[in-house]
Amino acid sequence: MSAIDFRTEPSRYRHWRIEADGEVAYLVMDVDPAGGLSADYELKLNSYDLAVDIELNDAVQRLRFEHPEVRCVVVKSGKDNVFCAGANIRMLGKATHGHKVNFCKFTNETRLAIEDATEHSRQIYMSAVNGSCAGGGYELALATDHIMLIDDRRSTVSLPETPLLGVLPGTGGLTRVTDKRKVRRDRADVFCSTEEGLRGAKARDWRLVDEVVPPSKWDEAVRARAQALAARSDRPKDGKGIALTPLNRANGGDRTAWSHVEVEIDRARNVATLTVRGPSQPAPASVAAAHALGAAFWPLAVARELEDAILHLRTSEPAIGVVLLKTDGEAQGVLAHDAFLIAGQDDWLLREVRHYLKRVLKRIDVTPKTFIAVIEPGSCFAGTLAELVFAADRAMMLIGTREGDNRQPAAIVPGEANFGLYPMGNGLTRLQSRFLGEPEALDDLKARIRESFDAEAAEAAGLVTFAREDFDFDDELRQMVEERAAQSPDALTGMEANLRFAGPETMETRIFGRLTAWQNWIFQPPNAVGEQGALKLYGSGVKPTYGKDRV
Amino acid sequence: MSAIDFRTEPSRYRHWRIEADGEVAYLVMDVDPAGGLSADYELKLNSYDLAVDIELNDAVQRLRFEHPEVRCVVVKSGKDNVFCAGANIRMLGKATHGHKVNFCKFTNETRLAIEDATEHSRQIYMSAVNGSCAGGGYELALATDHIMLIDDRRSTVSLPETPLLGVLPGTGGLTRVTDKRKVRRDRADVFCSTEEGLRGAKARDWRLVDEVVPPSKWDEAVRARAQALAARSDRPKDGKGIALTPLNRANGGDRTAWSHVEVEIDRARNVATLTVRGPSQPAPASVAAAHALGAAFWPLAVARELEDAILHLRTSEPAIGVVLLKTDGEAQGVLAHDAFLIAGQDDWLLREVRHYLKRVLKRIDVTPKTFIAVIEPGSCFAGTLAELVFAADRAMMLIGTREGDNRQPAAIVPGEANFGLYPMGNGLTRLQSRFLGEPEALDDLKARIRESFDAEAAEAAGLVTFAREDFDFDDELRQMVEERAAQSPDALTGMEANLRFAGPETMETRIFGRLTAWQNWIFQPPNAVGEQGALKLYGSGVKPTYGKDRV
């Protein structure tokens, strides 16, 4: 499959419409069967593939940034009798293991973004389920805070993946059934192993939906509910959105450059270097000035570009096992922007930018690559950008300078941003996760905010893995990368997924840890993907043949 | 592989010795290379297979029940220069996927039992690591509360699975490194991807061990540490152990019977019926009388037999997908024993019995079979045995009586035991987990302890999934079992693993959820098990060839 582009905008959507109606927006799913990523399958019955979800992700972003006035988003279907049939099964049947995993990861991130919008932007999502709502369709509804189901005797919610396809619901369905909706486990067991699902009052009594409404009252009830949810929001009624203008991205061989981000690939070694440049302008003089900058406001621009770079590496560069994280610029500029972001947290736009940066950093946390932060003279690992060091699996820092390089020695500067702006999926900051075993080291750091840590101080404070002198640095880094590249990519992915999330678990970590891992397993053996497996045979009229052994 | 027998006793051990020295016992690992389950491999360098771990599990149990005077257990090696080389790699290379998974599950349970003994029996485990301690060897040490490492310049601790074998440490290593020992994540990353591991002061500074001791002071330091730990225990110095006498087990075709437990297998349908019989004797008149009964004391006998039955089904009956749980006897007898157990919790033996029942019930929670509780006249689902209903994936209860059966209608009787005696791995009781979404239902039940719930009352209170009349019951149950048997065993295992543990996560749920699931995945693709995979090629001198893609 050729490189997948995650950039889109509403004028190019083929599967979704945003119908704004004052405080309420309707996000209408109306999938074009011929609009999938591949011509191998048709997206019937509002089933989806990655192309559909790329638009959904874009719509969720734009509603936050471009529509501050929208306080409630109603997800509904543009088709009769079907809300959404879930992920397209023919697509899954033909997809490689890697594509399935990437597809599930991205769709999971989108559903978490819906929950994040509800919680942190107070743009509250609800679902108006008018028609059958199966598998990924129900998982989409589960990501919203309120599910309405029409009581027309045929509209159902269901998770038929296990009985029908021999796999698990892939976008958090099991986890949200047990942990968000707190469905009793025996009922969850019945529901998740019953192909036809549940409808009407029983679906409500079993906590699978929040209300059921007769057809005669449907439109009115949906509108009333949306307005009631909108009334709970604190979004500014008179806010003016900013436009998420098209990203500048230039490709040249193995180098891809955005305005502030650059990725360079060394194919011989399967290594990428991702460089983020600090701001070239001072922080805006006022909140109004930041609004005027819009998508050019440095923290927002960096968030968008870094996200695009990470998604590109993850989806289109599977053979790249190691990503070196670098920065380039002035620490003070980064810290000034951080201070500006923090001071303006009452402003809706600055709040959005902060949560967007949070989500982009979380994408790194669940990206199956080894990240090594490389901290050298000329870098600006301060505040928000220092978060890249703490998101990395390891960090190498140069002591002093290199011969012939007259820049100052590298420094790491912890900022306020590192102490609460960007929690990980586990609910802790990266520094909290890092210092679970040494809480006193964390307290110590907190007292040294905005202090420059040179390599030896950073190593002593536990901020980097290794500080090395010039004459060792390059060799050691090269050896580290080579060793990593020689190890099993599968084992490394599993190892990183286990080591990155110490401490508490949340619905989110459970989705990416427990659920994803089980799904990855189930996606492998013949019961799912063999010639007689359920995914392969779906739609052929032939029943799958399962090996019987339980493992 | 033929059926695996989990029954053993010290006189038959080939791999371990218990050397008791008053308050301190030394649990000495001295593996007989020729004593593995199969002649296909030699257990060199204190490497282990399931046969070795069956003895370890037995030793941990016996130390609790037969040695109340032991307050500290020192795990050490009986060989020179090697503590333990971990799971035998040739065994893993030859084992089926199912055997690998069962092996890891059982060894995980044993390590958790070591932690349970430390926490709840105050029989405190420590490791005296005198020699190389790799992979599963270090994971064994991690299960103990204190790790001493000899500082002889060659003894190391290591988790070489990822760099050497392309798999994960399979018995909780990653989880205990991050969550028990709280090793900083970048250091954990270095440690877990470095074949040779760490030694001496660095191992201590990185929190991988608790102390390092020079050889000249080793024996004295180990003894002193053991005595210091023993001093923290509340175990009775003058307690007299009870003998865990050999289990009675009779096989007859597809029926296996213990004294109070019976398993009958219907091979045509891949279903087993597991029946637990209530006590035939009244509860003992005194704690002394319970001690005199010893292994014949009903709750202890049931725990041992139920455990043996579950392990047998899990390991030797992989094709059995559904287990029907039944009981037979008088509710009052069960409740009387529960009351006796609870009243006597200050007694070391009764405390052991309670925690043993807890561990056996936890084995059900992680057993990859569908459990359906079948509640009919003549059953005694009360208190401890009602826990089987709450451990089941579903429960079917008969309303009223069957024609020609003059026994009373079935009842479920919640008891004190259901409200705290047997927490699951997530730290909650099964009722708490069940009613996460309806805390008021839990409060309601608490007010109705010892009340008999007939089928309709049980259904209304949320205790069972379905209450059915005689004329529907058998058909519906048969259909339920048939539907289940027709679904993908892999997907069902993944689904159950996700639905059974709602609510909080602990190190234990993370080991069985996150870590095990990743390992199951990694055990599948060719990088581990293919002809060029690391597990297959280990020891051949040929380097594995890995596909490069990260997924």
Side-chain angles (χ1 to χ4, degrees):
Chain A
M1 196 170 280
S2 59
I4 291 171
D5 197 337
F6 290 85
R7 297 173 299 178
T8 186
E9 55 186 320
S11 67
R12 290 163 53 200
Y13 288 179
R14 297 180 66 173
H15 309 295
W16 293 89
R17 293 191 299 278
I18 299 175
E19 296 175 353
D21 178 16
E23 292 180 5
V24 175
Y26 292 85
L27 188 48
V28 185
M29 186 177 204
D30 196 358
V31 174
D32 173 358
L37 275 187
S38 153
D40 280 355
Y41 46 83
E42 265 192 296
L43 300 174
K44 291 181 189 163
L45 298 171
N46 263 1
S47 65
Y48 61 85
D49 73 348
L50 188 55
V52 178
D53 224 67
I54 286 172
E55 292 184 9
L56 174 59
N57 175 61
D58 186 74
V60 173
Q61 288 287 78
R62 287 183 194 274
L63 279 163
R64 295 176 83 159
F65 281 96
E66 302 188 348
H67 295 279
E69 78 285 0
V70 169
R71 299 152 76 92
C72 175
V73 181
V74 181
V75 181
K76 62 178 226 179
S77 167
K79 300 202 191 300
D80 289 337
N81 300 324
V82 61
F83 176 80
C84 168
N88 187 274
I89 300 167
R90 297 213 172 232
M91 176 275 291
L92 287 176
K94 286 167 190 284
T96 61
H97 181 71
H99 183 73
K100 283 200 281 284
V101 170
N102 270 322
F103 168 70
C104 289
K105 186 167 286 168
F106 184 79
T107 54
N108 266 315
E109 288 172 317
T110 305
R111 277 130 200 85
L112 288 163
I114 287 175
E115 291 178 326
D116 190 70
T118 297
E119 184 180 351
H120 295 294
S121 297
R122 300 309 290 145
Q123 199 166 54
I124 302 166
Y125 277 72
M126 58 169 276
S127 313
V129 179
N130 181 350
S132 75
C133 174
Y138 180 54
E139 291 178 294
L140 174 60
L142 281 169
T144 70
D145 260 31
H146 190 87
I147 307 176
M148 296 177 76
L149 175 64
I150 196 165
D151 194 10
D152 63 359
R153 290 161 181 267
R154 78 187 159 193
S155 293
T156 53
V157 295
S158 64
L159 289 177
E161 284 85 346
T162 294
L164 192 65
L165 304 173
V167 299
L168 300 185
T171 40
L174 301 181
T175 309
R176 287 196 178 82
V177 162
T178 55
D179 285 272
K180 183 176 186 180
R181 302 200 62 90
K182 300 187 170 68
V183 175
R184 227 174 65 205
R185 64 171 276 199
D186 55 338
R187 289 178 163 174
D189 182 275
V190 172
F191 175 64
C192 299
S193 55
T194 304
E195 198 175 315
E196 58 272 23
L198 293 185
R199 59 185 165 85
K202 193 169 178 184
R204 183 197 57 214
D205 294 347
W206 282 31
R207 309 174 67 91
L208 298 164
V209 304
D210 294 288
E211 56 180 318
V212 288
V213 179
S216 61
K217 298 189 177 153
W218 179 250
D219 290 339
E220 181 198 329
V222 169
R223 202 175 309 118
R225 177 62 61 189
Q227 271 155 9
L229 292 176
R232 288 204 233 144
S233 174
D234 66 356
R235 285 176 78 83
K237 298 204 181 197
D238 52 357
K240 203 171 158 306
I242 60 137
L244 295 178
T245 50
L247 283 183
N248 292 316
R249 188 167 80 191
N251 277 59
D254 284 332
R255 186 173 165 282
T256 308
W258 296 255
S259 305
H260 308 280
V261 172
E262 185 183 308
V263 170
E264 186 144 21
I265 288 180
D266 176 348
R267 297 221 177 266
R269 299 163 69 220
N270 290 317
V271 176
T273 301
L274 190 161
T275 306
V276 180
R277 261 187 297 280
S280 51
Q281 305 287 328
S286 66
V287 169
H291 281 250
L293 281 170
F297 178 45
W298 177 80
L300 175 55
V302 160
R304 295 181 72 205
E305 297 179 1
L306 182 56
E307 178 174 55
D308 199 44
I310 293 291
L311 290 174
H312 175 75
L313 283 170
R314 194 199 277 174
T315 314
S316 301
E317 296 286 357
I320 299 303
V322 176
V323 179
L324 305 179
L325 295 173
K326 299 189 177 186
T327 55
D328 176 21
E330 299 293 333
Q332 291 314 314
V334 180
L335 293 173
H337 277 82
D338 283 358
F340 179 78
L341 260 189
I342 292 167
Q345 277 301 296
D346 288 341
D347 175 68
W348 73 267
L349 176 61
L350 299 193
R351 179 170 77 173
E352 285 307 335
V353 172
R354 170 247 176 133
H355 286 294
Y356 188 16
L357 279 163
K358 175 191 73 183
R359 292 194 301 282
V360 174
L361 290 163
K362 284 189 193 184
R363 290 209 199 255
I364 296 178
D365 296 333
V366 296
T367 292
K369 313 272 186 203
T370 300
F371 290 96
I372 303 177
V374 180
I375 306 154
E376 298 166 300
S379 64
C380 55
F381 286 104
T384 293
L385 293 189
E387 206 68 16
L388 294 172
V389 177
F390 313 139
D393 298 294
R394 302 180 184 186
M396 284 278 289
M397 189 162 179
L398 184 77
I399 299 173
T401 55
R402 284 208 169 86
E403 218 184 287
D405 180 349
N406 57 7
R407 291 175 298 184
Q408 291 294 305
I412 294 180
V413 191
E416 285 86 351
N418 308 118
F419 290 86
L421 233 45
Y422 311 122
M424 300 171 63
N426 64 6
L428 303 183
T429 65
R430 286 180 186 75
L431 282 178
Q432 281 173 324
S433 298
R434 186 177 189 85
F435 291 116
L436 275 177
E438 299 159 83
E440 65 289 350
L442 186 66
D443 294 339
D444 198 47
L445 269 181
K446 220 177 231 163
R448 298 170 72 184
I449 281 181
R450 293 181 169 242
E451 198 175 300
S452 276
F453 286 72
D454 68 17
E456 279 151 318
E459 189 182 44
L463 296 177
V464 298
T465 321
F466 301 111
R468 291 290 183 267
E469 310 264 3
D470 188 15
F471 50 86
D472 284 331
F473 192 88
D474 293 338
D475 275 354
E476 205 164 314
L477 180 59
R478 186 174 51 244
Q479 200 184 332
M480 188 185 285
V481 170
E482 276 168 14
E483 273 180 20
R484 200 76 169 192
Q487 296 183 9
S488 160
D490 306 336
L492 288 173
T493 293
M495 184 186 91
E496 290 157 2
N498 278 279
L499 296 182
R500 288 178 183 174
F501 295 93
E505 294 248 4
T506 62
M507 210 165 61
E508 185 169 333
T509 58
R510 198 182 275 208
I511 286 171
F512 288 118
R514 177 183 288 257
L515 185 61
T516 299
W518 282 106
Q519 182 76 303
N520 285 1
W521 169 55
I522 292 162
F523 272 157
Q524 294 274 337
N527 286 338
V529 298
E531 289 308 313
Q532 304 302 315
L535 275 184
K536 283 276 182 228
L537 289 178
Y538 180 77
S540 69
V542 181
K543 282 205 166 191
T545 309
Y546 293 131
K548 286 293 167 205
D549 280 7
R550 282 285 203 124
V551 291
Chain B
M1 199 170 281
S2 59
I4 291 170
D5 198 335
F6 290 84
R7 296 172 301 179
T8 186
E9 56 187 320
S11 67
R12 291 162 52 200
Y13 289 179
R14 296 180 66 173
H15 310 295
W16 294 90
R17 294 190 301 276
I18 299 174
E19 297 175 352
D21 178 16
E23 293 179 4
V24 175
Y26 293 85
L27 187 50
V28 185
M29 187 176 204
D30 196 357
V31 174
D32 173 358
L37 276 187
S38 154
D40 279 356
Y41 47 82
E42 264 191 297
L43 300 175
K44 291 181 189 161
L45 298 171
N46 262 1
S47 66
Y48 61 85
D49 73 348
L50 188 54
V52 177
D53 223 65
I54 286 172
E55 292 183 8
L56 174 59
N57 175 62
D58 186 75
V60 173
Q61 288 286 78
R62 288 185 194 274
L63 279 163
R64 294 175 83 159
F65 281 96
E66 301 189 347
H67 295 280
E69 78 285 0
V70 170
R71 300 151 77 92
C72 175
V73 181
V74 181
V75 180
K76 60 179 230 181
S77 167
K79 299 204 192 300
D80 287 337
N81 299 326
V82 62
F83 177 77
C84 167
N88 186 275
I89 300 167
R90 299 214 170 229
M91 176 276 291
L92 286 175
K94 287 168 189 279
T96 62
H97 181 70
H99 183 74
K100 283 201 280 283
V101 171
N102 270 321
F103 168 70
C104 289
K105 186 168 285 166
F106 184 79
T107 53
N108 267 313
E109 289 173 319
T110 304
R111 276 129 202 87
L112 288 163
I114 287 174
E115 290 178 326
D116 190 71
T118 298
E119 184 179 353
H120 296 294
S121 297
R122 303 305 294 142
Q123 199 166 54
I124 301 166
Y125 276 72
M126 59 170 275
S127 312
V129 179
N130 181 349
S132 76
C133 175
Y138 179 53
E139 291 177 295
L140 174 61
L142 282 170
T144 69
D145 260 31
H146 190 88
I147 307 176
M148 296 176 76
L149 176 63
I150 195 165
D151 194 9
D152 62 0
R153 289 161 180 266
R154 77 188 159 192
S155 293
T156 54
V157 295
S158 64
L159 289 177
E161 284 85 345
T162 294
L164 192 64
L165 304 172
V167 299
L168 301 185
T171 39
L174 301 181
T175 309
R176 286 196 178 83
V177 163
T178 56
D179 285 273
K180 184 176 186 179
R181 302 198 64 89
K182 300 187 168 68
V183 175
R184 224 174 65 202
R185 64 171 276 201
D186 56 337
R187 289 177 164 176
D189 182 276
V190 172
F191 175 63
C192 298
S193 55
T194 304
E195 198 174 315
E196 57 273 23
L198 293 185
R199 60 185 163 84
K202 192 167 180 187
R204 183 197 56 215
D205 294 347
W206 282 29
R207 308 174 67 90
L208 298 165
V209 305
D210 295 288
E211 56 181 316
V212 286
V213 178
S216 61
K217 299 190 175 153
W218 179 250
D219 290 338
E220 180 197 330
V222 169
R223 201 175 312 118
R225 176 63 60 187
Q227 271 155 8
L229 292 176
R232 290 205 232 145
S233 173
D234 66 357
R235 289 177 74 84
K237 300 205 180 197
D238 53 356
K240 202 171 158 308
I242 61 139
L244 295 177
T245 51
L247 282 183
N248 291 316
R249 186 166 84 189
N251 277 58
D254 285 332
R255 186 173 165 282
T256 308
W258 295 256
S259 304
H260 308 280
V261 172
E262 186 183 307
V263 170
E264 187 144 20
I265 287 180
D266 177 347
R267 298 221 175 264
R269 298 163 68 218
N270 290 318
V271 176
T273 302
L274 190 162
T275 307
V276 180
R277 260 188 297 281
S280 52
Q281 305 286 329
S286 65
V287 169
H291 281 249
L293 281 169
F297 178 45
W298 177 80
L300 176 54
V302 160
R304 296 182 72 204
E305 296 179 2
L306 182 57
E307 177 174 56
D308 199 44
I310 293 291
L311 290 174
H312 176 74
L313 282 170
R314 194 199 275 173
T315 314
S316 300
E317 296 286 357
I320 299 302
V322 176
V323 179
L324 305 179
L325 295 173
K326 299 189 177 187
T327 56
D328 176 21
E330 299 292 334
Q332 291 316 315
V334 180
L335 293 173
H337 277 82
D338 282 359
F340 179 79
L341 260 189
I342 293 166
Q345 277 301 297
D346 288 341
D347 176 68
W348 74 267
L349 175 60
L350 299 193
R351 178 171 79 172
E352 286 305 335
V353 172
R354 169 249 176 128
H355 286 293
Y356 189 16
L357 279 163
K358 174 192 74 182
R359 293 194 302 281
V360 174
L361 289 163
K362 284 188 191 183
R363 290 210 199 254
I364 295 179
D365 297 333
V366 296
T367 292
K369 313 271 185 201
T370 300
F371 289 96
I372 303 177
V374 180
I375 306 153
E376 298 167 300
S379 65
C380 54
F381 286 104
T384 293
L385 293 190
E387 206 67 17
L388 294 173
V389 177
F390 313 138
D393 297 293
R394 302 180 183 185
M396 284 277 288
M397 189 162 180
L398 185 77
I399 299 174
T401 55
R402 283 208 170 85
E403 220 185 286
D405 180 349
N406 57 7
R407 290 175 298 183
Q408 291 293 305
I412 294 180
V413 190
E416 285 86 351
N418 307 118
F419 291 86
L421 233 46
Y422 311 122
M424 300 171 62
N426 64 6
L428 303 183
T429 65
R430 285 178 188 75
L431 283 178
Q432 282 173 323
S433 298
R434 186 177 189 86
F435 292 116
L436 274 178
E438 300 159 83
E440 65 289 352
L442 187 67
D443 293 340
D444 199 47
L445 267 180
K446 221 177 230 165
R448 297 169 73 183
I449 281 179
R450 291 181 171 243
E451 199 175 298
S452 276
F453 286 71
D454 67 17
E456 281 152 316
E459 191 182 41
L463 296 177
V464 299
T465 321
F466 301 111
R468 290 292 183 265
E469 310 263 3
D470 187 14
F471 50 87
D472 285 331
F473 191 89
D474 292 339
D475 275 356
E476 207 165 309
L477 180 59
R478 186 173 51 243
Q479 201 183 330
M480 188 184 282
V481 169
E482 277 168 12
E483 273 179 21
R484 201 77 169 191
Q487 297 183 8
S488 159
D490 306 336
L492 289 173
T493 292
M495 183 186 91
E496 290 157 2
N498 278 278
L499 296 181
R500 288 177 182 174
F501 295 93
E505 295 247 5
T506 62
M507 211 166 59
E508 185 170 334
T509 60
R510 197 180 274 208
I511 287 171
F512 288 118
R514 177 183 288 257
L515 183 61
T516 299
W518 283 108
Q519 182 75 303
N520 285 0
W521 168 56
I522 293 162
F523 272 157
Q524 294 273 336
N527 286 338
V529 297
E531 289 307 313
Q532 304 302 315
L535 275 184
K536 284 276 183 227
L537 288 178
Y538 180 77
S540 68
V542 181
K543 280 205 167 194
T545 310
Y546 294 130
K548 285 293 167 206
D549 280 7
R550 280 285 203 127
V551 291

